[in-house]
Amino acid sequence: MRGIKEQDITLDTPDQGAVLVVEPLLPQRIRRPSDALRFLLTLAALGAVVLLALALQRTLNGLETDVQAGSRRAPDLLSAVAGLLGGVAVLIVPVAFAVERVFHRDGMRVTQGLIAAILALLISYTLDEWIILTGPAELKQLLTGGRDVEPLNTVLAPAIAYATAVRMSRRPQWRALMWTALALDVFALFTATKVTALGVIVTYLVGLAVGFGTLYGIGSANTRPPGGAVLAALRKLGFAPVSARRVEDDSSGSRRYLVGLADDRRLDVTVLDRDRQVAGIAYRLWRRIRLNTETRRRAIRSLRAELEREALMAYAAQAAGARLPRLLGTSEVGTEAALLAYEHCETRPVAGLGDEDIDDRLLSQIWEQVRLLHAHRLAHRHLTGESIHVNQDHQVFLVDARSGEIAAGDLLLRLDNAQLLAYLGTRVGPERSVKAAAAVLGADTLAGALPLLQRIALSRETRASVRRDKDLLPAIREQIVALKPQVAVEEVRLERFRPRTLVTIIASALAAYLLLSQLSRINLVSVVTTANWAWAGVALVAAGVSYVAAAIMLRGFVPEPLPLGPTVLAQFAGSFVKLVAPAAVGGVAINTRYLQKRGVPPGAAVASVGASQLVGLASHILLLLLCGYLTGTQAAPSLTPSRGLLIAMLGVAVLFLIVLAVPRLRRMLTTRVRAMFSGVIPRLLDVLQSPRKLAEGLSGTLLLTVAFVVCLEACVRAFGGEVSFTAVAVVFLAGNAIGSAAPTPGGLGAVETALSVGLTVAGLPTTVATSAVLLFRLMTFWLPVLPGWASFAYLQRQDAI
């Protein structure tokens, strides 16, 4: 059994004799996913409390003052008694619990609690020392109140960690004693001004986190019922088992047993363990947050809810006439598990069949079983090779009904069809998959699955297969459209957001934070009044020239004639699109659309824009190296490359070698380079045949870079800064590269930070560098938005984009 040592467990029963249950030796300790989930949630709560406290410092200080004032009003006798009882009880209760557990031969639980207490003591002491000596001043003030107290109490944290690790919360009497002891001790600490409100909260969360972390790291006692308990539960259902053998777990990780009965029948028994209910919680939570309400499933269900769901789906499928293993009974197995007893069918999963064994008759049967489910509004939700089985007579059975839905809406039924189309497409090809489905469901029903053929709608295994075969879903769509050419496809959005959107939001928030932190260091009124607006005028002219240069550059890489005026307007329109798209995406999309409207074929349009981007990239790198070389040698007696330039070149070389050494990165690089060269290089060859076009493209590329560098140089001089032109060029080229790679609209935040840091390193004061960068971004990013919007609207009215 998967390389695990097997053990025969004998169960003696008075009327049935000894029954041998053959199963792998169950581990004495297991790591419960629920403990890991609680650990992560506690860490998240700890982070949220600290951030909230830092954001609401005044409110928290006021609350602290009120708590301290209220505590001082307590009678001295009450404070003294509470301090004595609490201090003693916090130590006595854990010791008494340990003695009680040792007498019950549960010493491992006590050991686990001691480990958690020791870890909590070490962690709280380390955090105390860090906060007092080198931690943030605001956090130190909040946790200590400006007094000579421990930020985290090194007595409470171990006590809480101990109580958590020994699972004292499951013993009501001991739990009440422990909470009383902690409450008395906290009250005494408040009256003696030895703690703060935030310190107590953080101490409690740290103790909880250490306790749950210890529980997951060491593991908990295995309370899963063994095979003997499963047979005892089956006897209560009226079955007479004579043999039992553990078989391979199902796709959800639930245990399965093959049980022989006295009347020569056999049962397939699925055991749902309580500690498995949160397995895979991170993935399910992510899907629940990411997907729309109609398609998502509950992330966590109780054991009872999971049992009832599977049983209800099985009974409903039987009533629908679909061929599923017949459910014969359900039962709880103690308090930690439940079972479902199915009639045994000799089948094997379709995933175990060879592709050549999946003939048209088998495909038709699969779709017929799905049709029966859907006719009674039942959605399977997991139609994969592991849940579709075939018996010796080549009859199809559907299993794994736990994830199904009764009274399913149209969307869920269409999702079933899309999933099965995609899975069978990976096995027999898109043509046979669509043909078999159409023969059973009809072309109209099949057309309903067309907008749902998205990777996000598929199961995890099918998604992985589709990712390897990127042409599969488009091919399935083509086959469906060929059956129903006039079908009106209504787009269905399954995702609330895409991961790329989440990255953009996070990056934008970080950019806004960095930008605001930069603005807080300067006086904007002083910037406006002290700036030399003659140099600002030069910067504005240079920014305007950059749009003409961009238009000239694009014209140079398009063999077809392009008028200069509309092309310049297209560049302004690109500045408007940058507000909602990353810097490297908005301009490319607008230019490609503009070329297509000018009569350039789509492939040639993409190739022309790609050629201009490729030459621009090469020019960017060469100018960066040249200017970096010159900047590093201006103060040297000879033209020796600077150390910084050498380090940068070596870093790039090492990065390139790493990419080549990793197969996945190497394939990604070669695929993209091959795709780029397949379309761009022929376009460049067309341009090379016209020296005038080549000169126009190269001059536009050079003029574009010079215009931006002149603009930044003028912004620096507008605030009295003095930096060499080559140094400004290096700063701009590096900052522009970072901005192009940033996922934020227009490189917002990344460009400002890179340019400010670069100018500061070049020798400018921080306030001057920040002011110059803000003026530069005003000229090149914000001011062009209004003319960009006007250009965008005009070109749209003229059907030019």
Side-chain angles (χ1 to χ4, degrees):
M1 299 290 291
R2 295 183 177 179
I4 303 176
K5 180 180 178 182
E6 291 188 358
Q7 178 187 19
D8 289 342
I9 301 177
T10 302
L11 175 66
D12 293 321
T13 56
D15 51 349
Q16 296 293 335
V19 177
L20 298 178
V21 181
V22 181
E23 64 178 348
L25 182 65
L26 296 178
Q28 294 183 348
R29 308 191 70 77
I30 57 174
R31 289 188 172 92
R32 299 179 185 273
S34 57
D35 292 331
L37 176 63
R38 293 188 180 101
F39 172 69
L40 294 176
L41 290 177
T42 306
L43 289 182
L46 179 60
V49 165
V50 172
L51 291 177
L52 191 62
L54 292 174
L56 304 174
Q57 294 184 41
R58 293 183 179 180
T59 303
L60 193 61
N61 288 332
L63 176 64
E64 178 66 27
T65 302
D66 294 339
V67 171
Q68 294 295 340
S71 301
R72 292 193 189 98
R73 294 180 180 179
D76 293 339
L77 179 60
L78 177 62
S79 299
V81 172
L84 177 62
L85 292 178
V88 172
V90 164
L91 299 177
I92 292 298
V93 172
V95 172
F97 183 85
V99 172
E100 190 260 348
R101 286 292 88 199
V102 169
F103 273 115
H104 285 82
R105 296 182 179 181
D106 195 8
M108 187 61 193
R109 187 189 297 264
V110 178
T111 304
Q112 193 165 270
L114 289 175
I115 293 174
I118 293 171
L119 287 176
L121 178 62
L122 293 175
I123 291 173
S124 59
Y125 177 78
T126 302
L127 289 175
D128 282 348
E129 292 297 309
W130 172 73
I131 292 171
I132 292 172
L133 298 178
T134 60
E138 298 88 351
L139 186 59
K140 178 181 176 181
Q141 174 65 28
L142 289 171
L143 289 173
T144 63
R147 303 186 299 273
D148 185 20
V149 300
E150 294 179 321
L152 276 71
N153 192 280
T154 51
V155 175
L156 291 178
I160 294 168
Y162 175 89
T164 304
V166 298
R167 298 191 188 277
M168 200 177 288
S169 60
R170 296 186 177 181
R171 308 284 298 279
Q173 294 180 345
W174 287 105
R175 180 180 62 210
L177 287 173
M178 193 66 195
W179 273 108
T180 303
L182 291 173
L184 289 172
D185 195 38
V186 169
F187 176 74
L189 290 171
F190 269 121
T191 57
T193 65
K194 292 296 184 182
V195 292
T196 63
L198 180 63
V200 171
I201 296 173
V202 172
T203 299
Y204 174 71
L205 291 175
V206 168
L208 274 184
V210 174
F212 288 131
T214 304
L215 277 174
Y216 186 73
I218 297 177
S220 305
N222 189 355
T223 57
R224 297 175 183 174
V230 174
L231 295 188
L234 287 175
R235 288 193 179 89
K236 292 180 181 179
L237 291 174
F239 297 108
V242 295
S243 65
R245 175 168 58 89
R246 174 91 174 265
V247 295
E248 186 177 5
D249 295 348
D250 66 14
S251 59
S252 302
S254 299
R255 288 184 288 159
R256 294 174 61 242
Y257 292 87
L258 179 61
V259 179
L261 303 179
D263 55 4
D264 293 331
R265 291 186 301 158
R266 287 193 291 178
L267 302 177
D268 286 321
V269 179
T270 299
V271 179
L272 308 178
D273 293 301
R274 187 180 301 279
D275 61 80
R276 292 286 310 170
Q277 296 309 301
V278 296
I281 181 64
Y283 175 76
R284 294 203 299 271
L285 278 175
W286 168 245
R287 297 275 292 184
R288 183 171 177 81
I289 294 171
R290 185 179 175 187
L291 296 181
N292 286 325
T293 307
E294 291 183 79
T295 59
R296 66 191 188 188
R297 310 171 190 175
R298 292 192 61 180
I300 304 177
R301 293 194 189 92
S302 66
L303 178 64
R304 166 65 63 177
E306 194 77 6
L307 175 67
E308 292 174 349
R309 182 187 183 88
E310 181 168 352
L312 183 60
M313 184 65 189
Y315 288 135
Q318 292 173 19
R323 196 177 293 119
L324 276 78
R326 191 159 63 95
L327 181 62
L328 301 178
T330 63
S331 173
E332 290 186 342
V333 186
T335 60
E336 297 298 319
L339 66 80
L340 299 103
Y342 290 94
E343 184 179 53
H344 175 71
C345 301
E346 284 290 347
T347 62
R348 55 174 176 166
V350 170
L353 299 178
D355 293 346
E356 65 280 358
D357 296 328
I358 305 178
D359 55 21
D360 292 341
R361 178 173 173 272
L362 183 59
L363 292 174
S364 178
Q365 284 196 60
I366 293 173
W367 283 109
E368 178 60 27
Q369 295 302 312
V370 173
R371 187 193 66 79
L372 289 173
L373 288 180
H374 289 184
H376 290 77
R377 312 302 295 179
L378 303 177
H380 189 280
R381 305 290 314 266
H382 195 245
L383 292 168
T384 66
E386 295 295 334
S387 61
I388 304 172
H389 284 224
V390 181
N391 67 4
Q392 295 178 348
D393 298 328
H394 298 286
Q395 292 180 320
V396 172
F397 286 77
L398 301 180
V399 300
D400 193 14
R402 191 178 314 161
S403 55
E405 297 276 357
I406 64 170
D410 289 339
L411 180 60
L412 295 182
L413 303 183
R414 292 159 64 193
L415 283 170
D416 261 3
N417 293 335
Q419 161 62 30
L420 189 55
L421 279 170
Y423 171 71
L424 293 179
T426 64
R427 300 298 307 274
V428 300
E431 182 178 356
R432 288 183 61 197
S433 175
V434 172
K435 182 180 178 182
V440 176
L441 304 180
D444 291 333
T445 302
L446 205 57
L450 191 59
L452 298 173
L453 287 168
Q454 309 172 32
R455 283 199 307 185
I456 189 64
L458 308 179
S459 68
R460 188 183 297 188
E461 304 87 352
T462 309
R463 224 168 30 242
S465 301
V466 170
R467 190 176 292 114
R468 291 190 295 267
D469 186 3
K470 298 184 183 299
D471 296 329
L472 177 63
L473 292 183
I476 294 176
R477 295 189 192 102
E478 291 177 3
Q479 293 292 329
I480 296 176
V481 171
L483 289 174
K484 195 76 174 176
Q486 305 300 324
V487 63
V489 179
E490 181 179 348
E491 183 180 358
V492 177
R493 185 175 180 84
L494 300 177
E495 297 174 285
R496 288 179 171 177
F497 60 88
R498 295 183 179 180
R500 186 180 302 173
T501 305
L502 186 62
V503 171
T504 300
I505 293 172
I506 295 173
S508 299
L510 180 61
Y513 172 78
L514 294 174
L515 187 58
L516 291 175
S517 64
Q518 291 174 357
L519 291 175
S520 65
R521 300 174 188 170
I522 62 175
N523 188 337
L524 292 179
V525 176
S526 177
V527 168
V528 174
T529 56
T530 60
N532 186 332
W533 290 103
W535 280 111
V538 174
L540 182 60
V541 172
V545 170
S546 68
Y547 290 95
V548 179
I552 294 173
M553 180 182 71
L554 180 62
R555 280 163 46 102
F557 293 100
V558 180
E560 294 81 1
L562 293 177
L564 182 61
T567 308
V568 172
L569 292 180
Q571 308 315 303
F572 272 106
S575 67
F576 170 68
V577 176
K578 285 180 184 178
L579 280 178
V580 293
V585 175
V588 171
I590 284 291
N591 284 331
T592 303
R593 182 68 173 171
Y594 170 70
L595 292 181
Q596 291 180 17
K597 289 294 185 177
R598 297 298 304 183
V600 180
V606 173
S608 295
V609 176
S612 65
Q613 294 290 316
L614 179 61
V615 172
L617 175 62
S619 172
H620 200 100
I621 295 173
L622 291 175
L623 288 174
L624 181 60
L625 293 176
L626 176 61
C627 293
Y629 179 82
L630 295 176
T631 301
T633 58
Q634 282 178 351
S638 63
L639 294 178
T640 304
S642 65
R643 181 181 301 174
L645 181 61
L646 290 176
I647 292 174
M649 293 180 66
L650 288 175
V652 172
V654 170
L655 180 63
F656 186 69
L657 289 176
I658 291 175
V659 170
L660 292 180
V662 179
R664 185 173 181 179
L665 295 177
R666 185 173 63 248
R667 286 194 299 270
M668 185 184 302
L669 178 65
T670 54
T671 300
R672 293 193 175 185
V673 170
R674 188 181 300 114
M676 180 176 64
F677 274 79
S678 62
V680 171
I681 296 302
R683 198 64 170 170
L684 283 176
L685 294 177
D686 293 338
V687 173
L688 288 175
Q689 297 176 5
S690 174
R692 185 181 63 83
K693 283 287 185 182
L694 181 62
E696 187 177 16
L698 294 179
S699 62
T701 302
L702 182 61
L703 180 60
L704 179 63
T705 303
V706 172
F708 278 122
V709 175
V710 169
C711 182
L712 182 57
E713 172 74 11
C715 292
V716 170
R717 293 186 179 275
F719 294 97
E722 291 286 342
V723 183
S724 67
F725 186 82
T726 54
V728 173
V730 170
V731 171
F732 165 74
L733 292 168
N736 188 56
I738 294 173
S740 298
T744 56
L748 188 64
V751 172
E752 288 83 356
T753 303
L755 294 181
S756 298
V757 172
L759 290 177
T760 302
V761 171
L764 284 180
T766 303
T767 55
V768 174
T770 304
S771 301
V773 169
L774 292 177
L775 181 59
F776 173 76
R777 291 291 278 172
L778 178 67
M779 298 295 182
T780 60
F781 183 73
W782 295 109
L783 282 183
V785 169
L786 186 57
W789 169 78
S791 301
F792 187 84
Y794 173 78
L795 292 175
Q796 276 194 323
R797 286 197 303 269
Q798 299 296 320
D799 197 27
I801 57 173

